[in-house]
C-alpha cells in the first residue's frame, strides 16, 4: 500500500506542464502579375522606327489582356499615338483600342473621352475611318447608354462631309447601328432636338438643318462614290433590322438605285425595295407617264422582276431570291412573270361605253368631213409600259434559262415559295419546273425535283409531263433517282395510262439499277394508295390473269413481280372490288408478302377468308391510346416499390420488363418510350440482384461467385446508362438526372466491390476521391432536380456530405453499402416524346451465298446503304464496324458527304467500306454493323444548357465509347492468294 501511495504521490506532484509555444504569424504572400501597360510602354520606347513599332504592336495584339489592365494599356497606346508621325502605326493603335474594348468584363465607357479627343488632331483619312470603326465597337458594347450613343452620332454627323469615302462609309455605318428616326441633330451637331424631316443636305451652308438618321442616310443615296451609296443603303437596312420603322418617302430613291452602274449598289437596292414592299404593301403609288396607280408591293415586284435580267449574275441571284419572299403580290402580276409576251402593254383599257361617255361630255362628234378627226388624241409610245416594266414580263422564264446555274437555282427556289402560296400559280409554273429536270447541272435537277415535291399537293401531272419526269430515272446519280421516287410518292396523275407508264419506267429502273429496289417498292406503294381507281382496270394485265385459262404462277423471287404486287395490294386497300380479280396464287403471295414485307403490304379484307392480322387490335384506331394507358399503368405499378429489397420486387420488375418489351414490338409509335422504360427497370433489377442481403453478410473468400456476379451487374448497369443517355432523344432534364443517378449507383457498387476484393489503402483513397467529385458534379449539374431526389441514393449521400468528405475510405465504403441497400426506388417519369435511335442496313442484305472474291493483300469495296432514324448529329457519331472471323475489328468513320437527309429525323448513309485480308482456304463471313459514338465529357443534351448550370463540365474524366444499334449483317468474302 505504501508503494501504491508513493506512486500516487509522484503522479500528483510530478506533473510536467508544457506551455503552448507561440506560433509565429504566417507571412502573407502577395502575388503580382507583370503589368501589361509597363511592358508595352518599354517596347514602344525601344522602337527606333515605325516598322519596329508595328512589330511590337502586332506581337502585343496576339497576347491576352485582363479586364483590369485594359484602361492602363489604352492610356499607353494613346500616349504613343500622339507622339507617332507614321499613319500606319496610328492606324494600328486605333485598331488595338477597338479590340481591347471588346475585352470581357471591361466597361469601354472609361476610354470613350480619350478616344474622342484623338479626332481633334487627326488629319489622316484612313486613321479617321479606323477611329470611327473603334467608336462603333464601343457603341455596340454600350447599347443601353443613350448619352454615349448621342455623342457618337454627333461625331459621325460632323465627319459625314469628309472627302474620303471610307470615312463617310463608317459614319453611315455608325448612324445605321446607333441612330434613331425620332430624334435629330442640328446643323452644328451640338444637341438633340425633335425630328423635323426637311432642310438642306449636310455640308450645305446656310440655315440650321434639323435631320433624323433616316433623312441623313437617304441624302447619301446620291453620293458620287458607289461605295458610299452601297454603305448608305446598308445603313438604312441596319435601321430596319434594329426594329426602327423606315418611312415610305425613300421608295422613289431606292427604285432609282436599281439602275445604278455599280452592281453592289443595285444588289443592296433590291433588298431596300423589298423591305419597303413588306412595310407598306397596300400603299398606292402612281405610275409614271400615266394616270394609273398600283399597290406598292405590285410596283416593287415589277421592278425587282426587271432585275432578273440584270447584267451582273450576283444581282440576278439576289433578285430571284427576293421574288420568292413577295407573297402578297397580285395574281395577274405574278402570272405575268411566266409569259414573255406583254399582253396589251399591261395598260388599263377603257370600255366602249367609257370612251363614248367621254366623247359626249366633250361635245365633239365626228362629222366625217375631216380625215381621222375621231382618232385618239393620246399618243401611245409602244416602248412605254405603264403597269409593269417590259423586262419583268417572263422574269422567271429568263431566270430559269440563265447561263449561271446559281441564278437558275435561285429562280427554282423562288417558284417553290410562290407556288406554295398560290394553287393557280403552281399549275401554271408546272411546265417550267418539269423542263428543269433536263438541266445539265445535277444540283439544278435535284433542286427542281425537291421543289416539285413540295408543291405536289396542288398539281396533277399530265401524260406528257409525266413522260418528261420519268426520263430522269435513267440518271446515273443515285440522289436524283431517289428524289424522283420520293416525288412520285406524292404526285397525282390523271389517267390509267400514266400509271402504266410510271410502272414500266420504274421496272426499267429496277432492272438497270438493282440497288434501287427498296426505293422503287416504296414509290409503288404510295402510287397505288393514291390512285386505286386508276389501278383497277389494269389489274388483269398486271397480274396476267385470264377469265378462262389458268396462267403460270410467277416467280416470287423476282423483284419486278413483287413491285407489281405492292402496287396492286396497296390499291386494293381502298378498292374492295379489286380482290375479286385475284387468282389463287395471288392470295398465297399476299400472305407471304404480308409477313415478309409488312411495311409495304397493307392488311386486306379478303372475301371468304379470315381477317388479316393487323386490321384490328393493337393497330386499330384506338391502339395508340390504349397502349399509352397500358404503359402508364405499368409504370404506376412499379411506383409502389419503396425499397429494392422488398419481397416480390424482383418478380414485379421481371414481369413489367417483359410487358414493356412486348409493347415496344407491337406498337411502333411507343417503341422508344417502352424500350427506355424497360432498360431503366433492367438497371434497377440488376442492382436488386447485386444487393441480396444474404450474400453480402458472408466473407469475401466464401462468396467469390457473388462478387463476380455483382461486378458484371455493375458493369452492365454502366453500359445501360450510356445507352439511355445517348441512344434516346427527346429527354428532359428530369430524365437525364435519373440516368445519372443510376450511373452513380453503379459506380458506388463498383467502389464497394473494389474495397471488398482489393487490399491496400492508396488505390482505394484515389477511387473514393473520384467518387466524391462525381457526387459534387451531380449536385452542380442537377441542382434544379434535387428536391425530387430526397429519398433516393443521391439525396441521402448529400445529407451526409460533410461526414463523407472527412471520413476514411473504409468508413465511406460502409456508408455507401448501407445507403445502397436502404435507398428508395426512384420513379421514372416519361417525357412527352421519347424516340430511340435506330439503324437498318439495306445493302448488303446478307442473303447471298456467293462470296465476294478478291486478291489477298489488295482491297475490295463493299457498298453500305443504311437508313438512320432519330440520330442526332450523325456526321460525327455514326461509325461502321467490320468484324473479321479472326477477331480483328476495324472501325470506319464515313465522310460527311455520305449522309443525306430525306426527311425530318431521318438520315440516309450511302458509303463504301474497303476490306482487305490475307488469303483464306474457304469463304468466311464478316460482320458489318453500325455504331453510335458518345463522349460523356461534353454536355450533349440541350436541356442542360437551359438550366443555371450552363458552361459547367462534369468532374469525371472523358468517358468515350460506342453503342451498337441496328442489326448486324453478315457478308461472305473470299480472299484468294495472289498468282505468281
Amino acid at each position: 500500500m505504501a508503494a501504491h501511495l508513493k506512486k500516487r504521490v509522484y503522479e500528483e506532484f510530478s506533473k510536467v506542464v508544457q506551455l503552448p509555444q507561440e506560433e509565429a504569424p504566417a507571412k502573407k504572400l502577395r502575388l503580382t502579375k507583370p503589368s501589361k501597360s509597363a511592358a508595352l510602354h518599354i517596347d514602344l520606347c525601344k522602337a527606333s522606327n515605325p516598322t519596329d513599332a508595328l512589330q511590337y504592336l502586332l506581337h502585343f495584339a496576339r497576347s491576352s489582356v485582363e479586364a483590369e489592365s485594359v484602361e492602363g494599356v489604352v492610356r499607353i497606346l494613346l500616349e504613343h499615338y500622339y507622339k507617332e508621325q507614321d499613319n500606319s502605326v496610328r492606324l494600328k493603335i486605333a485598331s488595338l483600342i477597338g479590340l481591347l474594348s471588346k475585352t470581357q468584363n471591361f466597361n469601354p465607357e472609361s476610354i470613350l473621352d480619350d478616344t474622342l479627343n484623338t479626332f481633334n488632331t487627326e488629319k489622316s483619312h484612313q486613321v479617321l475611318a479606323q477611329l470611327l470603326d473603334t467608336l462603333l465597337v464601343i457603341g455596340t458594347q454600350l447599347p443601353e447608354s443613350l448619352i454615349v450613343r448621342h455623342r457618337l452620332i454627333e461625331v459621325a454627323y460632323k465627319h459625314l462631309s469628309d472627302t474620303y469615302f471610307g470615312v463617310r462609309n463608317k459614319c453611315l455605318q455608325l448612324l445605321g447601328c446607333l441612330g434613331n428616326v425620332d430624334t435629330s441633330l442640328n446643323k452644328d451637331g451640338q444637341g438633340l432636338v425633335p425630328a423635323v424631316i426637311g432642310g438642306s443636305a449636310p455640308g450645305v451652308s446656310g440655315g440650321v438643318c434639323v435631320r433624323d438618321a433616316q433623312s441623313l442616310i437617304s441624302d447619301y443615296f446620291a453620293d458620287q462614290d458607289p461605295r458610299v451609296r452601297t454603305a448608305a443603303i446598308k445603313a438604312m437596312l441596319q435601321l430596319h433590322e434594329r426594329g426602327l420603322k423606315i418611312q415610305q418617302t425613300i421608295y422613289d430613291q431606292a427604285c432609282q438605285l436599281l439602275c445604278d452602274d455599280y452592281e453592289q449598289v443595285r444588289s443592296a437596292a433590291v433588298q431596300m425595295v423589298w423591305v419597303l414592299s413588306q412595310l407598306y404593301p397596300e400603299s398606292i403609288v402612281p405610275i409614271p407617264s400615266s394616270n394609273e396607280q398600283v399597290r406598292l408591293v405590285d410596283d416593287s415586284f415589277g421592278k425587282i422582276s426587271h432585275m432578273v435580267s440584270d447584267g451582273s449574275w450576283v444581282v440576278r441571284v439576289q433578285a430571284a431570291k427576293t421574288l420568292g419572299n413577295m407573297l402578297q403580290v397580285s395574281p395577274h402580276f405574278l402570272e405575268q412573270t411566266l409569259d414573255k409576251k406583254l399582253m396589251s402593254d399591261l395598260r388599263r383599257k377603257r370600255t366602249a361605253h367609257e370612251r363614248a361617255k367621254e366623247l359626249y361630255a366633250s361635245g365633239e362628234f365626228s362629222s366625217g368631213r375631216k380625215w381621222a378627226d375621231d382618232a385618239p388624241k393620246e399618243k401611245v409610245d409602244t416602248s412605254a409600259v405603264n403597269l409593269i416594266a417590259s423586262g419583268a414580263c417572263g422574269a422567271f422564264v429568263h431566270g430559269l434559262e440563265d447561263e449561271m446555274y446559281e441564278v437558275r437555282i435561285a429562280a427554282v427556289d423562288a417558284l417553290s415559295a410562290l407556288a406554295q402560296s398560290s394553287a393557280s400559280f403552281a399549275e401554271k409554273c408546272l411546265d417550267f419546273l418539269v423542263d428543269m429536270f433536263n438541266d445539265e447541272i445535277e444540283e439544278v435537277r435535284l433542286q427542281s425535283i425537291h421543289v416539285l415535291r413540295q408543291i405536289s399537293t396542288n398539281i396533277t401531272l399530265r401524260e406528257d409531263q409525266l413522260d418528261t419526269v420519268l426520263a430522269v430515272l435513267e440518271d446515273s446519280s443515285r440522289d436524283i433517282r431517289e428524289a424522283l421516287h420520293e416525288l412520285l410518292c406524292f404526285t397525282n396523275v390523271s389517267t390509267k395510262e400514266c400509271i402504266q407508264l410510271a410502272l414500266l419506267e420504274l421496272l426499267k429502273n429496277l432492272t438497270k439499277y438493282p440497288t434501287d429496289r427498296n426505293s422503287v417498292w416504296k414509290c409503288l406503294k404510295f402510287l397505288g394508295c393514291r390512285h386505286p381507281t386508276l389501278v383497277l382496270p389494269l389489274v388483269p394485265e398486271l397480274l396476267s390473269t385470264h377469265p378462262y385459262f389458268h396462267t403460270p404462277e410467277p416467280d416470287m423471287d423476282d423483284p419486278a413481280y413483287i413491285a407489281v404486287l405492292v402496287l396492286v395490294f396497296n390499291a386494293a386497300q381502298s378498292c374492295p372490288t379489286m380482290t375479286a380479280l385475284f387468282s389463287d396464287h395471288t392470295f398465297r403471295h399476299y400472305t407471304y408478302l404480308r409477313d415478309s414485307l409488312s411495311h409495304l403490304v397493307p392488311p386486306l379484307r379478303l372475301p371468304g377468308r379470315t381477317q388479316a392480322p393487323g386490321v384490328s387490335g393493337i393497330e386499330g384506331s384506338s391502339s395508340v391510346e390504349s397502349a399509352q394507358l397500358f404503359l402508364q399503368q405499368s409504370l404506376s405499378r412499379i411506383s409502389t416499390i419503396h425499397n429494392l429489397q422488398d419481397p416480390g420486387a424482383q418478380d414485379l420488375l421481371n414481369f413489367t420488363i417483359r410487358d414493356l418489351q412486348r409493347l415496344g414490338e407491337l406498337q411502333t409509335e411507343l417503341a422508344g418510350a417502352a424500350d427506355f422504360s424497360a432498360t431503366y427497370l433492367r438497371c434497377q433489377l440488376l442492382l436488386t440482384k447485386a444487393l441480396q442481403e444474404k450474400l453480402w453478410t458472408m466473407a469475401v473468400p466464401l462468396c467469390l461467385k457473388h462478387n463476380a456476379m455483382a461486378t458484371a451487374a455493375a458493369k452492365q448497369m454502366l453500359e445501360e446508362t450510356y445507352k439511355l443517355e445517348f441512344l434516346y432523344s427527346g429527354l428532359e432534364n428530369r430524365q437525364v438526372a435519373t440516368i445519372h443517378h443510376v450511373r452513380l449507383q453503379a459506380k458506388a457498387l463498383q467502389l464497394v466491390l473494389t474495397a471488398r476484393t482489393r487490399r491496400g489503402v492508396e488505390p482505394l483513397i484515389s477511387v473514393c476521391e473520384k467518387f466524391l467529385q462525381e457526387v459534387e458534379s451531380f449536385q452542380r449539374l442537377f441542382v434544379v432536380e434535387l428536391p425530387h431526389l430526397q429519398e433516393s441514393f443521391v439525396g441521402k449521400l448529400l445529407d451526409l456530405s460533410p461526414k463523407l468528405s472527412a471520413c476514411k475510405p473504409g468508413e465511406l465504403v460502409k456508408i455507401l453499402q448501407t445507403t445502397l441497400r436502404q435507398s428508395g426506388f426512384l420513379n421514372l417519369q416519361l417525357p412527352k416524346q421519347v424516340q430511340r435511335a435506330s439503324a437498318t442496313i439495306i445493302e448488303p442484305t446478307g442473303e447471298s451465298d456467293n462470296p465476294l472474291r478478291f486478291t489477298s493483300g489488295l482491297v475490295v469495296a463493299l457498298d453500305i446503304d443504311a437508313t438512320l432514324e432519330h440520330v442526332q448529329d450523325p456526321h460525327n457519331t455514326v461509325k461502321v464496324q467490320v468484324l473479321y472471323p479472326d477477331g480483328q475489328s476495324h472501325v470506319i468513320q464515313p465522310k460527311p458527304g455520305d449522309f443525306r437527309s430525306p426527311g425530318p429525323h431521318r438520315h440516309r448513309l450511302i458509303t463504301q467500306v474497303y476490306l482487305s485480308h490475307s488469303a483464306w482456304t474457304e469463304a468466311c463471313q464478316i460482320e458489318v454493323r453500325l455504331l453510335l459514338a458518345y463522349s460523356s465529357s461534353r454536355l450533349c443534351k440541350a436541356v442542360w444548357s437551359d438550366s443555371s448550370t450552363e458552361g459547367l463540365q462534369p468532374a469525371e474524366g472523358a468517358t468515350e465509347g460506342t453503342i451498337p444499334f441496328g442489326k448486324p449483317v453478315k457478308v461472305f468474302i473470299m480472299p484468294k492468294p495472289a498468282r505468281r
Side-chain angles (χ1 to χ4, degrees):
M1 181 174 179
H4 179 67
L5 180 61
K6 183 176 180 182
K7 182 178 179 182
R8 190 179 66 180
V9 170
Y10 283 148
E11 287 178 353
E12 290 180 356
F13 298 101
S14 63
K15 291 182 179 180
V16 178
V17 179
Q18 185 175 1
L19 296 175
Q21 185 178 1
E22 295 183 359
E23 297 181 359
K27 295 182 178 180
K28 296 182 180 180
L29 298 179
R30 182 182 178 185
L31 299 178
T32 59
K33 296 180 180 180
S35 174
K36 295 279 186 180
S37 57
L40 179 62
H41 179 67
I42 294 174
D43 289 339
L44 292 177
C45 290
K46 290 191 298 183
S48 58
N49 51 55
T51 304
D52 294 342
L54 273 179
Q55 292 297 327
Y56 288 130
L57 291 173
L58 290 172
H59 177 72
F60 176 77
R62 291 190 289 267
S63 61
S64 60
V65 180
E66 297 78 11
E68 57 271 11
S69 304
V70 170
E71 189 172 354
V73 170
V74 172
R75 308 277 183 207
I76 295 299
L77 288 173
L78 290 175
E79 181 181 347
H80 189 78
Y81 175 89
Y82 290 114
K83 298 178 182 178
E84 184 60 49
Q85 300 296 325
D86 190 78
N87 293 340
S88 59
V89 179
R90 297 202 309 276
L91 182 68
K92 184 60 181 176
I93 291 176
S95 174
L96 278 177
I97 295 174
L99 186 64
L100 289 170
S101 63
K102 296 180 182 179
T103 306
Q104 192 175 6
N105 299 326
F106 172 69
N107 185 13
E109 191 172 0
S110 58
I111 62 173
L112 178 62
D113 292 332
D114 297 327
T115 308
L116 291 176
N117 290 335
T118 58
F119 285 87
N120 299 329
T121 57
E122 187 56 57
K123 302 298 182 183
S124 172
H125 298 292
Q126 289 84 359
V127 180
L128 277 175
Q130 184 59 53
L131 287 173
L132 287 168
D133 187 71
T134 300
L135 291 183
L136 178 62
V137 173
I138 295 175
T140 53
Q141 297 292 321
L142 302 169
E144 303 299 330
S145 178
L146 295 177
I147 299 177
V148 172
R149 182 188 300 176
H150 295 161
R151 294 181 66 185
L152 298 183
I153 292 174
E154 290 176 7
V155 174
Y157 184 84
K158 289 178 180 178
H159 291 84
L160 269 175
S161 57
D162 196 282
T163 56
Y164 181 56
F165 78 93
V167 176
R168 300 202 299 277
N169 283 356
K170 291 301 178 180
C171 291
L172 291 170
Q173 191 175 356
L174 259 174
L175 290 174
C177 293
L178 304 177
N180 261 328
V181 295
D182 55 350
T183 55
S184 306
L185 288 172
N186 58 25
K187 178 69 176 75
D188 298 328
Q190 297 300 323
L192 297 168
V193 294
V196 178
I197 298 177
S200 57
V204 180
S205 61
V208 175
C209 173
V210 181
R211 316 296 299 277
D212 64 348
Q214 176 178 333
S215 60
L216 284 174
I217 295 173
S218 62
D219 285 336
Y220 289 87
F221 283 180
D223 194 271
Q224 60 182 356
D225 195 303
R227 291 165 291 190
V228 179
R229 296 198 295 271
T230 306
I233 301 175
K234 290 183 177 180
M236 193 71 73
L237 292 173
Q238 184 67 30
L239 288 176
H240 171 69
E241 292 176 2
R242 289 172 49 209
L244 303 178
K245 191 170 184 179
I246 301 175
Q247 301 299 324
Q248 187 185 343
T249 52
I250 63 170
Y251 177 70
D252 292 336
Q253 292 177 280
C255 292
Q256 292 175 4
L257 292 175
L258 293 174
C259 303
D260 198 275
D261 295 334
Y262 190 59
E263 69 173 33
Q264 294 296 332
V265 179
R266 299 197 300 272
S267 180
V270 168
Q271 300 180 24
M272 189 72 253
V273 172
W274 175 79
V275 166
L276 292 171
S277 71
Q278 303 304 305
L279 292 176
Y280 308 97
E282 302 299 329
S283 297
I284 303 300
V285 295
I287 301 298
S289 69
S290 173
N291 296 326
E292 300 296 332
Q293 293 180 335
V294 293
R295 298 162 63 226
L296 189 144
V297 65
D298 295 335
D299 186 64
S300 60
F301 182 81
K303 288 180 168 58
I304 295 177
S305 298
H306 182 70
M307 302 306 294
V308 178
S309 304
D310 193 85
S312 170
W313 71 270
V314 177
V315 180
R316 298 200 298 271
V317 170
Q318 179 67 39
K321 289 181 179 179
T322 306
L323 288 178
N325 298 324
M326 305 185 71
L327 304 179
Q328 299 174 331
V329 67
S330 301
H332 61 279
F333 279 90
L334 189 60
E335 294 168 4
Q336 186 64 44
T337 57
L338 298 175
D339 192 357
K340 286 185 178 180
K341 294 180 293 184
L342 191 58
M343 303 303 295
S344 301
D345 293 338
L346 273 184
R347 298 171 62 86
R348 181 183 178 275
K349 296 301 181 182
R350 293 175 296 172
T351 63
H353 177 72
E354 290 176 339
R355 292 197 299 270
K357 182 180 178 181
E358 182 181 355
L359 190 62
Y360 175 76
S362 63
E364 297 181 2
F365 291 91
S366 175
S367 61
R369 297 179 180 177
K370 189 176 182 181
W371 176 257
D373 59 350
D374 58 348
K377 298 179 180 179
E378 180 186 4
K379 293 183 179 181
V380 180
D381 185 4
T382 56
S383 63
V385 180
N386 289 325
L387 297 185
I388 186 171
S390 59
C393 297
F396 283 122
V397 179
H398 292 296
L400 296 176
E401 296 175 352
D402 199 275
E403 61 180 352
M404 304 296 294
Y405 81 94
E406 294 91 349
V407 181
R408 300 199 295 273
I409 291 179
V412 168
D413 291 338
L415 278 177
S416 169
L418 294 172
Q420 291 181 46
S421 61
S422 174
S424 61
F425 185 73
E427 295 179 1
K428 291 179 173 61
C429 70
L430 178 59
D431 288 329
F432 299 95
L433 289 175
V434 171
D435 287 341
M436 297 307 294
F437 286 12
N438 299 321
D439 196 273
E440 67 271 14
I441 302 297
E442 178 181 343
E443 188 177 352
V444 180
R445 299 198 301 271
L446 187 61
Q447 187 64 21
S448 60
I449 294 174
H450 288 320
V451 165
L452 196 59
R453 157 71 183 88
Q454 294 171 1
I455 65 174
S456 58
T457 56
N458 297 332
I459 59 176
T460 300
L461 289 179
R462 301 188 308 269
E463 189 172 353
D464 58 324
Q465 295 170 337
L466 183 64
D467 193 13
T468 306
V469 169
L470 293 174
V472 187
L473 288 174
E474 299 181 1
D475 199 294
S476 60
S477 172
R478 185 170 188 164
D479 293 336
I480 295 287
R481 298 195 306 272
E482 290 188 353
L484 191 64
H485 296 157
E486 191 78 12
L487 167 63
L488 292 176
C489 290
F490 300 94
T491 301
N492 300 317
V493 297
S494 54
T495 62
K496 66 183 182 64
E497 285 76 14
C498 294
I499 295 291
Q500 194 170 15
L501 178 63
L503 178 62
L504 291 177
E505 293 297 329
L506 287 171
L507 293 181
K508 289 181 183 178
N509 177 21
L510 191 60
T511 304
K512 188 175 182 179
Y513 301 102
T515 56
D516 293 353
R517 181 181 62 181
N518 290 278
S519 182
V520 170
W521 288 352
K522 177 186 174 184
C523 174
L524 288 171
K525 170 190 174 181
F526 285 93
L527 206 61
C529 289
R530 298 179 72 89
H531 308 90
T533 57
L534 299 181
V535 176
L536 177 61
L538 299 174
V539 170
E541 181 181 355
L542 296 179
L543 299 180
S544 300
T545 59
H546 196 275
Y548 305 116
F549 303 105
H550 286 292
T551 55
E553 182 176 349
D555 184 12
M556 278 301 298
D557 293 332
D558 185 10
Y561 177 62
I562 295 177
V564 173
L565 289 182
V566 168
L567 173 69
V568 173
F569 289 152
N570 282 277
Q573 187 180 16
S574 304
C575 188
T577 60
M578 193 179 296
T579 55
L581 303 175
F582 294 172
S583 57
D584 292 338
H585 63 262
T586 306
F587 292 110
R588 295 197 305 270
H589 295 169
Y590 165 76
T591 305
Y592 172 74
L593 291 179
R594 177 61 187 158
D595 292 336
S596 58
L597 299 174
S598 58
H599 62 288
L600 295 175
V601 178
L604 299 177
R605 294 183 180 273
L606 302 180
R609 298 172 182 267
T610 57
Q611 191 174 6
V615 175
S616 62
I618 196 68
E619 293 183 4
S621 58
S622 61
S623 60
V624 178
E625 291 79 5
S626 59
Q628 183 75 32
L629 180 62
F630 178 79
L631 178 61
Q632 296 296 336
Q633 290 175 351
S634 301
L635 295 180
S636 62
R637 282 198 304 270
I638 291 296
S639 64
T640 59
I641 300 177
H642 299 290
N643 193 287
L644 297 174
Q645 303 299 323
D646 292 342
Q650 292 189 24
D651 295 336
L652 182 57
L653 286 175
N654 275 318
F655 293 147
T656 307
I657 292 172
R658 181 198 62 187
D659 293 343
L660 293 177
Q661 288 176 342
R662 183 58 179 164
L663 177 64
E665 295 173 0
L666 296 176
Q667 191 66 46
T668 56
E669 288 83 357
L670 296 177
D675 293 343
F676 182 83
S677 305
T679 306
Y680 173 74
L681 296 180
R682 194 180 301 116
C683 293
Q684 300 296 330
L685 183 61
L686 290 171
L687 184 63
T688 304
K689 292 180 178 179
L691 293 175
Q692 293 180 2
E693 184 177 1
K694 295 181 180 179
L695 298 176
W696 283 90
T697 57
M698 298 181 183
V700 177
L702 299 178
C703 196
L704 295 177
K705 183 178 180 180
H706 169 260
N707 287 323
M709 185 272 292
T711 303
K715 182 179 178 181
Q716 186 177 354
M717 284 178 63
L718 280 179
E719 294 176 354
E720 297 290 347
T721 56
Y722 288 118
K723 289 182 181 179
L724 288 172
E725 184 176 2
F726 297 101
L727 205 58
Y728 294 86
S729 59
L731 302 181
E732 299 174 356
N733 201 19
R734 184 88 172 265
Q735 287 72 41
V736 178
T738 305
I739 294 170
H740 280 252
H741 177 267
V742 177
R743 189 176 300 166
L744 272 182
Q745 287 179 312
K747 291 184 177 181
L749 181 60
Q750 284 184 336
L751 177 58
V752 174
L753 293 172
T754 302
R756 283 169 61 89
T757 55
R758 287 185 183 178
R759 292 184 179 180
V761 181
E762 291 298 329
L764 189 59
I765 291 177
S766 61
V767 175
C768 291
E769 289 179 351
K770 184 178 179 181
F771 179 79
L772 292 177
Q773 290 177 358
E774 290 172 353
V775 174
E776 183 182 356
S777 174
F778 183 92
Q779 184 180 7
R780 293 199 316 268
L781 291 172
F782 303 106
V783 63
V784 180
E785 304 299 330
L786 290 181
H788 305 288
L789 306 174
Q790 291 295 332
E791 299 299 326
S792 63
F793 171 71
V794 175
K796 294 186 176 182
L797 283 185
L798 294 178
D799 294 338
L800 300 173
S801 56
K803 182 179 179 181
L804 293 178
S805 58
C807 65
K808 296 180 180 180
E811 297 177 0
L812 176 62
V813 170
K814 291 180 181 179
I815 292 174
L816 290 179
Q817 181 177 347
T818 305
T819 309
L820 276 174
R821 294 177 56 188
Q822 295 179 353
S823 59
F825 178 78
L826 186 59
N827 295 326
L828 178 66
Q829 292 187 359
L830 286 178
K832 296 181 180 179
Q833 191 70 21
V834 179
Q835 298 294 342
R836 188 181 191 274
S838 60
T840 304
I841 299 179
I842 303 173
E843 293 290 339
T845 58
E847 300 173 354
S848 176
D849 295 333
N850 297 323
L852 189 62
R853 302 178 184 273
F854 62 98
T855 303
S856 64
L858 301 180
V859 295
V860 62
L862 179 64
D863 293 327
I864 303 292
D865 185 2
T867 303
L868 310 176
E869 300 279 349
H870 303 285
V871 178
Q872 300 178 353
D873 193 18
H875 306 81
N876 299 321
T877 57
V878 175
K879 302 180 185 298
V880 182
Q881 183 187 40
V882 179
L883 185 62
Y884 292 94
D886 58 355
Q888 294 185 23
S889 176
H890 292 166
V891 178
I892 299 97
Q893 174 72 48
K895 296 179 294 184
D898 296 337
F899 293 92
R900 283 89 168 166
S901 181
H905 308 295
R906 291 181 55 207
H907 289 85
R908 185 83 176 273
L909 172 62
I910 302 176
T911 185
Q912 282 188 334
V913 173
Y914 296 99
L915 310 175
S916 180
H917 213 280
S918 57
W920 296 352
T921 56
E922 61 182 12
C924 293
Q925 287 182 334
I926 63 169
E927 191 174 84
V928 180
R929 67 171 59 191
L930 295 181
L931 305 177
L932 189 69
Y934 66 87
S935 175
S936 63
S937 63
R938 56 189 175 89
L939 300 178
C940 63
K941 297 300 181 182
V943 69
W944 289 9
S945 61
D946 295 337
S947 63
S948 59
T949 61
E950 183 177 1
L952 293 176
Q953 296 292 333
E956 60 180 355
T959 304
E960 298 182 354
T962 55
I963 304 172
F965 68 120
K967 289 185 178 181
V969 174
K970 294 185 178 180
V971 181
F972 273 103
I973 67 170
M974 180 61 190
K976 300 180 297 182
R979 294 182 180 180
R980 296 184 178 178

